Amino acid sequence: MVHELFSPGVQHVLDLVGIFVFAISGALLAVRKNFDVFGIVVLAEVTAIGGGVLRDLVIGAVPPAAFQDLGYFGMPLLASLLVFFLHPHVERINWGIALFDAAGLGLFCATGTIKAYSYGLGYVSSAVLGLATAVGGGLMRDILANDVPSLLRWDRSLYAVPAMAGAAITALCIRFDVLNAVSTAGAILTAFVVRMLALRYDWRAPRAWNRRSAAVEVEE
């Protein structure tokens, strides 16, 4: 279980860091969409905690962790405030945001898988919920912003695949009873590295084999 791998204090800090970075990405999208301050906060909150809330509801961990700790709501509010006033400067460090976003992706896909398994789910189901924890907030963000979700678009670098890899490795570690801090770090690092390589080399998932459609994806 998560608390056996990391102390509660360390786990809490890691969660808050991941939440903050995901919230930044949500708030920046709201600014680009010309949303008002309420829209910025909503997109930041949904992006940051949406995946974790979805996981907790599915496994029956109610009320969800996000509703038991004000820090889970406070960090997105802080991120919204920073983006509201400093968004031109924040956008200049997009590569840094992508770096931490990839780290959060790796962290959440691993810890989400572990938490799901600790609530009695099987290996495959746990990995699926680990994936949902990592990408669920971004999926909800894009839907609210009236965009095709990034993880469904062929013209975006791989996002779900790195999370799937990290969640699958974590589930395999559980299956073969080798789950510990080192193996969990390895799963997190795998998701992180694959995501960063996808950004660096513009790796994309393949489209349908022998596709003949002339439709062209419109870049935003």
Side-chain angles (χ1 to χ4, degrees):
M1 295 174 64
V2 174
H3 66 268
E4 295 173 338
L5 300 175
F6 308 106
S7 69
V10 171
Q11 177 63 37
H12 190 247
V13 169
L14 291 174
D15 281 346
L16 292 181
V17 169
I19 284 171
F20 179 77
V21 174
F22 283 151
I24 288 284
S25 69
L28 281 174
L29 178 60
V31 171
R32 292 173 187 142
K33 289 285 186 177
N34 203 30
F35 288 5
D36 62 15
V37 63
F38 181 74
I40 293 173
V41 171
V42 169
L43 241 58
E45 293 282 358
V46 167
T47 307
I49 66 175
V53 169
L54 174 63
R55 176 206 60 215
D56 288 351
L57 290 175
V58 171
I59 64 179
V62 292
F67 293 90
Q68 301 183 57
D69 187 331
L70 288 179
Y72 285 79
F73 281 98
M75 292 304 281
L77 286 174
L78 176 60
S80 300
L81 184 66
L82 289 175
V83 170
F84 183 81
F85 289 106
L86 303 174
H87 63 87
H89 306 288
V90 174
E91 288 182 320
R92 292 195 191 109
I93 58 171
N94 266 343
W95 185 249
I97 296 299
L99 183 75
F100 285 104
D101 181 77
L105 185 79
L107 172 69
F108 285 173
C109 72
T111 57
T113 301
I114 296 169
K115 184 170 183 179
Y117 182 77
S118 72
Y119 273 77
L121 271 67
Y123 305 113
V124 174
S125 298
S126 297
V128 169
L129 275 185
L131 170 64
T133 304
V135 306
L139 178 66
M140 297 178 193
R141 173 202 64 204
D142 292 343
I143 291 173
L144 287 175
N146 199 31
D147 282 345
V148 176
S150 295
L151 71 138
L152 301 180
R153 294 179 59 165
W154 74 272
D155 62 325
R156 300 292 173 87
S157 300
L158 296 178
Y159 194 77
V161 171
M164 288 171 62
I169 292 172
T170 304
L172 287 172
C173 289
I174 296 172
R175 169 64 180 83
F176 293 104
D177 198 26
V178 292
L179 185 71
N180 52 45
V182 174
S183 60
T184 302
I188 294 170
L189 185 61
T190 297
F192 171 78
V193 170
V194 173
R195 173 59 178 161
M196 294 306 296
L197 288 174
L199 287 170
R200 174 65 178 83
Y201 296 106
D202 196 25
W203 290 349
R204 303 177 183 180
R207 288 185 284 175
W209 179 257
N210 205 23
R211 177 178 175 273
R212 299 182 184 278
S213 171
V216 177
E217 185 71 30
V218 178
E219 294 281 357
E220 294 179 356

